[in-house]
């Protein structure tokens, strides 16, 4: 997996398939080189309703990575 091409700028959806933002960065384990967290910039309606900005989402909360990233629950962010 190439981090820049495969994850950065990918849209992130909550468990209800609502757009919550885009991946702007990733956190990696320096020993294993595994992605441990996604840094998400909130966009759209999510930014207006909740406090805007960036959130760090642990990779355990990711359900599917495809054309978009789907989280396991509506309450993940």
């Amino acid at each position: 997996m190439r981090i820049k091409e495969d994850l950065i700028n990918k849209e992130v959806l909550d468990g209800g398939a609502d757009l919550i933002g885009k991946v702007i960065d990733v956190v990696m384990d320096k020993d294993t080189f595994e992605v441990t967290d996604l840094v998400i910039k909130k966009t759209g309606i999510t930014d207006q309703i909740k406090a805007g900005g960036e959130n760090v989402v642990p990779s355990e909360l990711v359900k599917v990575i495809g054309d978009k990233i789907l989280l396991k629950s509506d309450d993940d962010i």
Side-chain angles (χ1 to χ4, degrees):
M1 173 181 278
R2 292 186 149 140
I3 300 302
K4 185 174 181 180
E5 292 85 5
D6 292 345
L7 293 177
I8 303 299
N9 290 320
K10 198 167 276 247
E11 291 181 330
V12 180
L13 307 174
D14 64 16
D18 294 318
L19 178 66
I20 56 173
K22 288 187 176 187
V23 176
I24 59 169
D25 201 359
V26 295
V27 179
M28 297 182 73
D29 182 291
K30 67 179 181 169
D31 297 322
T32 65
F33 301 105
E34 292 182 66
V35 174
T36 59
D37 302 282
L38 302 176
V39 180
I40 299 171
K41 172 74 173 156
K42 292 183 179 183
T43 59
I45 192 80
T46 304
D47 190 37
Q48 295 170 9
I49 293 173
K50 298 179 181 179
E54 300 173 359
N55 281 8
V56 177
V57 176
S59 59
E60 302 90 52
L61 297 181
V62 175
K63 182 175 184 178
V64 176
I65 297 177
D67 290 336
K68 299 179 188 298
I69 296 172
L70 179 63
L71 301 181
K72 293 180 180 175
S73 163
D74 293 345
D75 300 323
D76 292 338
I77 291 192

